[in-house]
Amino acid sequence: MDIKRHSLEDGPGIRTVVFFKGCPLRCVFCHSPETQDCGREIAFYPGRCIRCGQCAAACPRGAIELELAGRIHRERCLRCGACAEACPAGGLRLLGSSYEVEQLAEILLRDRAFFRHSGGGVTLSGGECTLFPEYLEALLKILRKEGVHVVLETSGYFDYSLFRRKLLPYLDLIYFDVKIGDPGLHRQYCGKSNARIYRNLKALLGEGAAGVHPRVPLVPGITATPENLAAIVDLLCRAGAGDITLLPYNPLGLGMATHLGRPKPPLPERFMTPGEERMIKEMVLKIIGDKSYGCQN
Amino acid sequence: MPEITLGDLSLGNCVLSERVTHLRDVYFESMPEICGERPRLITRFSKNHGFFNGQPISILNKAKMYRRVLEEREAIVSHTRGVGRDMRPFPFEDRQLFAGSTTSKLKGVPLYPEFLALTLWPELWTMSRRESNPFYITEDDVKTLNFDVFPHWLENNILELGRKRYYEQNLQKYGRKKYDPEIKLMQRLVFFLASKPECISHTIPDFSKAVKLGLRAVIDEAREKEATAPDPARKEFYAAVREVLEGIIGYSRNLAAEAERLASLENDSGRKQELLDIAVVHRQVPEFPARSFREALTTVWICWTAVHLENPNIGLSLGRLDQILYDNYRRDIDQGRLTVADAIELICCLWLKIGDHVPAVPEASEQLFGGTGSNQAITLGGVDRDGNDAVNDLTYVMLRATELMKLRDPNLNARYYSGVNSQEYLRRLCEVNLETGATPALHNDRAVIKALTSKGETMEQARDYGVIGCVEPGSNGRFYGHTAAILLNLTSVLELALFNGRHRHTGMDLLISKETGDPRTFTSFEQFIGALEEQIRWIADHSTDLNNFFGKIHQDFYPTPILSSLFEGPMEKGRDLIDGGAAVNSSAATISGLADVADSLSAIEKVVFDDKVVSFEELLEALERNFEGYEALQALLINPEKTPKYGNEDPKADANVRRLVETLDRVFGEKENYRGGKYRVGYWTMTNHAGFGRLMQAMPNGRKARENFTSGITPVSGVTPSLTKALNSVALQPASCLASGVALNLKYTPEQDREKMLENFADTVEGYFDDDGGRSDGGMEIQFNIVTHKTLVDAVGNPDPKMLVRVSGYTAYFKDLNPQMQKEIIDRTEYLLSTGKMVTFEPFPLPTKR
């Protein structure tokens, strides 16, 4: 997992965000591709490489070639991390640290003064953090005891009864991603059907659980199309959702695919303009207006 | 607790008046000009009264001299000319609301030949053409200094008087071979500077009596005390107080007479009335109690010029003006005699007056001190002596004036007590930082008060602290603490431990300190730490000895009756400040290179002893070669993911910092000074960390030769990727070890969503100041530059003369800084507040050697 401190984008106030590694979905537009696989991964940052060659010497598989653009013959790589260990400059880095629950809690509590003054807290994100219910439950109990506000970000693809029993009692807010309305397209772009996601959302809302916020990541040409937005609004209506948050597209995850030696996804390399954001928002408002459905953004 | 009656705390409707706009433009256009008046008058009196006979100078004789100078110096109500950037004089119409001046020039360089003014002697003819920060000088002043002034001081300045006595003493003690260890050590430049040969200054006078009672009442008090004083020394002290206060009153009367004279010649009826108003003010104050806000400001101002007549313009500070002047402000506002706009205009005029002088920096000192103003700190807000909220309307008025003026001097410092001061106030402090990009510095009352009480100040004294010079806290008007007594380059102490008492800058065949062992033979990190601590003790012994020695020279040759008459303690004790008259006494060392040394320790611990990546021998070899051929090792040493660095919550790295600050506080804290006080330690480095950097070779933390060291208590630039981690690491350092103040320097990227940025800004300061339920003391101080990397880089080639930056801790104009210091600010860690992440950029190229 990875920890991001002083985040202002993942819930109210100043927050520490934990990105768990591992996700049941494989969205082609994934914003943090390093969190899909639950194993360790090696990333290569050519700008930091000083070409000392210590990585090649350390690799037990001969998978490193200094002249190779991506540096690593990934098909041979065991992800043992010997190269990253040997690299002095941070050109090769091992992604994915593991922490004992108490150890992680201690780190998360370091910023409690910042949480308190800003109304912030901890955000559990991913990947799909609900893949680790036992671990999360233990962590959440500590955070609850310390009075820390907790947000959970999810793809919605989880085992409902486990979620309800182990996690739900400890959460202040749930940011619930709804990416694609049509089940077939969802399977095409995300690797799995959205049936379970829909059921989970509906069930969660049916519990009367406070603070469930459906969010739609806007990806030009994929999720941010009139058809998909209409399908999502329809889905949310059926699930009984009361609001919707649109997340404007950002291209910051694109670089990571390259660092991991994966093909770059065919997505725009620029942020959405405020004009584009406004247009999409109006579009959604219009769809909602037609359906007389409450909306927030 | 004062009630806040302002509707809009930002006072956005108040803008610069026409008068102030004009004066401010002239201020920025004009170059500093050497003033020959003080040296001429002082020299004449000293000569006539036999001050040059090598015998101690009595306080009464000094007082008589100052009185004469105050009465004889030119009483300037309005200046008539300045000197432009082209080094040509230009005429202008001066419609200042305050009369009087620190020197006889619009922007003057006062000279103190008793101290180091002689260092300017070789450049009298060239200083107006020198590349960095030139000074204008008239031919008459060159001649006066060259023939009438400097020759008399050659043997009689404080450094020379000290050197002579020192040689005599040590020659008898040690013989010819080793007769000057400390002075020679200082002259090697890389170890420490003892600043007594230049000044003591660095303190805050007590203006409250002068404002509330008037100086006549203080004279009467001195006369009564003189009559009943039990011994001649005290009688003489009180007589001296009377002399100098009469002198200050005399100067103010001369200003009144001059204003009346000018009024009689004035045709413009508006200006005529202004001059008559000035005359009325100066007939009243500072002799008698101030009846209005304007008179109160005038009292402060006139006393301020007098304090500078006696004490060099380095770090003298004005203290808690929003407290001292509040009653007069409130009364005038309540009685409808003053509007907020008038008050802002008056404050702006005073701010310009306060900046009417700059220190005399010789070309040779530009590397260490280039671009400095006089560092006249003003302190706003915080709590009062009883712990109540002290923020008042005048606090906001002064903040607005500062925001509008964006001046280097005065150096604004704001106190904040979380939970007592309002959040709106903190938000406003952050807003002024966004607007000015550099000021005010923010001080955490809770931590500072804890630090001061740990050194023996009473709770009331500690709560009433003001900020001195850069960032140093001291009880307002009662703390005499020469906070800059010793400027210590800690990286040189590390060097001594690395090379067994030797230093690469002074040559490996010269034993500088003592042999603490060859680290190549060390078998544990503890052994190295032991050697370092021994070297720290050695340097503390020698630097405090030298400071104490020069303290005694001050006691014999530089009594300070003016400052002593405006202070809490001397009047009660009948004793000069230099003899321990103040209510609170101390001296202090300020440390350069804390983070660099701490990170070097962590590097040695990890790479040599824990992981055994290289031997100590190989490490020293790499340092010797400035990492040439050792690129992979250097990459490892500078990589925070591989080698622990202070500022990342790494327990070992932070523990090494803590160990250093605790050791330094303990070692210096045991030392007694010459005034019956103890030594304290601070971490604020002005521009020294850049200057010292130029002289030093490669370091174990991966820093290459001649690169900058890190400012103040700040973690090393570029190795702390996360904002809250960096803040938490700094806040972990115990306040009681940082009693002489710290400067934490960060840059924030300006953001488009100003409202959101402001909120984050304030929340982040709160988080850093928080003591986390007693788990830490909370960070003591923080100061900012809010500017993009690109703006700074662009400013190197194409400087905006008004661009204000925060150095460590004072504010300066970026263009005045030397290239090495400009690079330091450009390279400083910059965070984007909305992500809490460090902004990455390539280090700026090292300036080539001149």
Side-chain angles (χ1 to χ4, degrees), chain A residues 5 84-85 93 110-111 117, chain B residues 641-642 649 724 728 770:
Chain A
R5 306 274 290 269
E85 178 67 27
R93 284 149 107 178
R110 286 180 194 168
D111 279 355
H117 289 288
Chain B
E641 289 171 15
K642 297 280 177 171
E649 289 178 347
T724 56
N728 284 342
D770 198 296

Side-chain angles (χ1 to χ4, degrees), chain B residues 8-223:
Chain B
D8 168 22
L9 300 181
S10 300
L11 297 169
N13 289 333
C14 297
V15 294
L16 290 181
S17 68
E18 205 178 311
R19 177 200 314 276
V20 173
T21 304
H22 176 238
L23 290 171
R24 183 173 178 272
D25 287 347
V26 171
Y27 165 88
F28 275 110
E29 271 166 40
S30 58
M31 296 300 286
E33 193 176 350
I34 297 279
C35 174
E37 183 185 55
R38 180 189 184 280
R40 181 166 47 79
L41 293 172
I42 295 273
T43 306
R44 198 176 68 203
F45 191 95
S46 301
K47 225 159 67 176
N48 293 346
H49 290 78
F51 281 8
F52 294 139
N53 65 5
Q55 294 303 307
I57 300 169
S58 79
I59 188 168
L60 187 55
N61 279 337
K62 260 276 156 85
K64 285 178 178 162
M65 173 177 83
Y66 290 134
R67 177 174 181 176
R68 181 75 71 80
V69 175
L70 282 160
E71 288 170 350
E72 283 187 19
R73 63 175 296 216
E74 193 183 353
I76 296 173
V77 170
S78 331
H79 290 281
T80 52
R81 63 178 263 287
V83 173
R85 298 193 171 273
D86 57 358
M87 286 293 168
R88 288 170 204 280
F90 63 86
F92 86 105
E93 197 190 345
D94 183 5
R95 299 193 66 167
Q96 249 288 356
L97 294 172
F98 294 97
S101 47
T102 313
T103 70
S104 64
K105 313 292 185 184
L106 172 66
K107 194 189 275 181
V109 183
L111 293 187
Y112 304 85
E114 303 96 315
F115 293 101
L116 292 181
L118 264 72
T119 53
L120 287 170
W121 203 348
E123 43 173 327
L124 282 179
W125 288 106
T126 53
M127 63 168 86
S128 61
R129 295 191 303 276
R130 77 185 195 196
E131 198 183 323
S132 52
N133 301 317
F135 297 138
Y136 182 84
I137 185 167
T138 64
E139 208 169 315
D140 277 352
D141 277 341
V142 170
K143 284 184 183 150
T144 306
L145 293 171
N146 201 15
F147 297 112
D148 299 337
V149 174
F150 286 162
H152 296 287
W153 296 98
L154 199 53
E155 300 281 319
N156 295 289
N157 63 74
I158 293 288
L159 178 61
E160 214 43 47
L161 290 165
R163 200 198 309 265
K164 261 185 279 181
R165 184 184 295 177
Y166 189 76
Y167 284 4
E168 284 158 18
Q169 278 180 7
N170 285 357
L171 203 56
Q172 285 171 2
K173 231 157 93 186
Y174 305 116
R176 181 159 294 281
K177 267 207 151 161
K178 210 179 152 16
Y179 58 88
D180 63 342
E182 284 92 7
I183 288 189
K184 192 165 237 166
L185 197 60
M186 178 167 83
Q187 285 169 338
R188 295 184 191 281
L189 276 179
V190 282
F191 297 99
F192 65 84
L193 305 175
S195 59
K196 288 244 165 21
E198 190 178 22
C199 69
I200 296 182
S201 297
H202 290 93
T203 194
I204 302 169
D206 172 21
F207 297 115
S208 60
K209 264 195 202 171
V211 170
K212 290 196 170 70
L213 308 174
L215 296 183
R216 181 61 58 202
V218 183
I219 290 173
D220 292 343
E221 188 193 341
R223 185 178 294 109

